[in-house]
Amino acid sequence: HLVLWSWKGTTLGGIVLGLKIVRADGGPMNFAVAFVRLLGSFFSAAVLGLGFFWAGWSQDKQSWHDKIAGTFVVKFPKATPLL
């Protein structure tokens, strides 16, 4: 995940589903942001996975690790190449 997030902003599953991680400030996805997001995902999982489900309840649709890293997951149209 870390390598693919920092390189392309997505994972193999994200490519299939048309999902990409973007920074809230509009900057490029880099290793540091991807690493912070990865560490934050451990926190999201540690609380019985509540941090992952939080995206379904929050108004801005961010999970806890997205809030920590300052990222959003966005859906791209099928015609948009993610690689």
Side-chain angles (χ1 to χ4, degrees):
H1 283 94
L2 181 61
V3 171
L4 288 172
W5 283 342
S6 58
W7 180 39
K8 292 292 183 181
T10 189
T11 60
L12 295 176
I15 293 168
V16 171
L17 296 175
L19 302 174
K20 189 169 184 176
I21 302 164
V22 296
R23 290 179 52 176
D25 64 3
M29 196 63 179
N30 57 31
F31 184 82
V33 175
F35 187 70
V36 169
R37 189 174 192 271
L38 179 68
L39 291 178
S41 68
F42 291 119
F43 174 69
S44 290
V47 189
L48 301 175
L50 184 62
F52 294 106
F53 292 108
W54 195 261
W57 298 313
S58 72
Q59 188 174 15
D60 55 4
K61 300 300 181 198
Q62 280 181 298
S63 59
W64 290 352
H65 51 282
D66 284 322
K67 289 183 179 296
I68 292 168
T71 58
F72 287 93
V73 177
V74 294
K75 180 140 178 86
F76 280 87
K78 288 187 179 184
T80 306
L82 293 177
L83 289 180

